[in-house]
Amino acid sequence: MSVAVEVRELYDTKEMKQVQILEDMVWKGDSIPTHQTITAIKNGGLMLGAFIEGELVGFNYSFPGFLNGEIYLCSHNMGIHPEHRGKGIGSMLKDVQREKASEMGYELITWTFDPLETRNAYLNLSKLRAVCNTYIENCYGEVNDGLNNGLPTDRFKVEWWINSEYLQTQYEKETPSTIIPWEMTKNDLPQLSDFDSIPNDERILVPVPANFQVLKRIDPNLGLKWRIKTREIFQTLFNKGYIAISLERSNNEPIHYYVLVKRTSLNL
């Protein structure tokens, strides 16, 4: 039985406090002050809430950005109540965000996420069709929460060109690919293999752990190796003109694959 979800804009202080409570539950960290969120949404920002039977179960918060003469929307934070995950609420929030942002005159929405968190990668790249060719080392410094403990907070900064032809087209998946090699450890965990150089090809697949949090919990040192090695790979490929366009999930392997192609091949 499907559950009816209502997504709408939020405006007043009472609604901002509801978001703050949910944010604390989801992220288990310092929530954004309500005076900041209220100020942002009165000046080009956007706060969206997802409701089930009147209860706030998800939110998406964004504010205006400006860089190199370009105005865009910074999608700063999104969270879904743990009991309501897996219902497509994140996609609903992003779809409404795209619609509202376009009405407000934005062409571009940006946000960051951890490239080793494949659930986020699949939503952001494969479903929403955002793209990424910007890698930020240790973006937020040391963060002592359950997701980031012991690791640099490296992030992808994605671009979501909400009015582009690219969103309406599909990239040809049958294009021949080069796969960055990986192997299993003695403890049956995936690791990147040693290789001499990062290849040049039309389509490159970069492996990442299917469940990085489990891997990191079992072997923290291996988790750190994944962070450092994938950092080098992505930075090298981005500098060569590649862009990440999707995450291909595998059914029978402990690895999923980022798909990277030349940015010049896209209709952006």
Side-chain angles (χ1 to χ4, degrees):
M1 180 178 179
S2 61
V3 178
V5 180
E6 176 196 9
V7 176
R8 59 178 171 83
E9 287 187 68
L10 307 182
Y11 298 100
D12 61 34
T13 303
K14 181 180 178 181
E15 292 172 326
M16 296 305 113
K17 289 186 181 298
Q18 287 181 283
V19 169
Q20 198 176 47
I21 292 170
L22 181 56
E23 184 182 9
D24 279 335
M25 177 190 297
V26 170
W27 294 109
K28 297 177 175 59
D30 294 334
S31 58
I32 303 168
T34 57
H35 60 76
Q36 202 277 345
T37 51
I38 282 285
T39 301
I41 65 175
K42 291 182 182 296
N43 293 275
L46 184 63
M47 180 72 84
L48 298 173
F51 294 83
I52 295 178
E53 296 181 347
E55 177 191 359
L56 181 71
V57 298
F59 71 92
N60 182 287
Y61 169 57
S62 49
F63 55 82
F66 180 83
L67 184 66
N68 298 326
E70 184 172 51
I71 298 171
Y72 49 90
L73 191 64
C74 299
S75 188
H76 179 63
N77 203 357
M78 182 168 75
I80 310 298
H81 192 291
E83 294 180 2
H84 296 283
R85 291 172 186 165
K87 298 178 180 178
I89 294 173
S91 294
M92 294 179 200
L93 284 164
K94 295 301 290 186
D95 287 341
V96 175
Q97 182 189 47
R98 175 190 175 192
E99 174 188 335
K100 297 294 184 182
S102 183
E103 290 173 0
M104 295 165 72
Y106 290 105
E107 297 281 339
L108 171 64
I109 303 176
T110 71
W111 63 92
T112 62
F113 74 93
D114 187 336
L116 294 178
E117 295 294 342
T118 55
R119 177 189 292 268
N120 294 340
Y122 186 76
L123 170 63
N124 295 334
L125 304 187
S126 297
K127 295 189 71 173
L128 299 177
R129 310 215 62 214
V131 295
C132 177
N133 63 350
T134 302
Y135 192 100
I136 306 174
E137 291 187 28
N138 205 23
C139 181
Y140 301 113
E142 183 177 347
V143 177
N144 293 316
D145 61 16
L147 293 175
N148 297 284
N149 283 346
L151 288 179
T153 52
D154 291 17
R155 295 293 184 264
F156 271 4
K157 180 181 179 181
V158 303
E159 304 171 10
W160 199 22
W161 294 95
I162 58 177
N163 298 318
S164 68
E165 292 183 13
Y166 173 71
L167 295 189
Q168 311 303 323
T169 61
Q170 293 293 325
Y171 191 80
E172 181 56 59
K173 290 186 178 181
E174 284 70 30
T175 303
S177 306
T178 295
I179 302 176
I180 301 293
W182 63 278
E183 60 194 9
M184 299 297 287
T185 69
K186 294 179 181 179
N187 296 325
D188 288 328
L189 295 172
Q191 67 178 1
L192 286 168
S193 306
D194 293 329
F195 51 90
D196 295 329
S197 62
I198 297 174
N200 266 315
D201 207 340
E202 186 175 347
R203 185 174 186 263
I204 297 177
L205 302 185
V206 179
V208 289
N211 194 325
F212 181 65
Q213 289 299 322
V214 170
L215 180 146
K216 185 180 73 168
R217 191 161 53 246
I218 296 172
D219 190 338
N221 289 330
L222 181 58
L224 181 59
K225 288 180 181 178
W226 271 103
R227 172 70 84 215
I228 300 305
K229 287 190 174 184
T230 53
R231 174 194 290 175
E232 177 188 356
I233 292 168
F234 286 124
Q235 287 181 329
T236 299
L237 290 172
F238 291 165
N239 287 335
K240 288 182 176 183
Y242 287 90
I243 190 165
I245 62 167
S246 66
L247 183 91
E248 291 189 356
R249 297 186 292 190
S250 53
N251 295 324
N252 302 315
E253 294 181 341
I255 286 291
H256 295 330
Y257 297 92
Y258 278 99
V259 178
L260 284 84
V261 300
K262 289 288 189 178
R263 184 179 181 116
T264 52
S265 67
L266 305 183
N267 295 319
L268 293 175

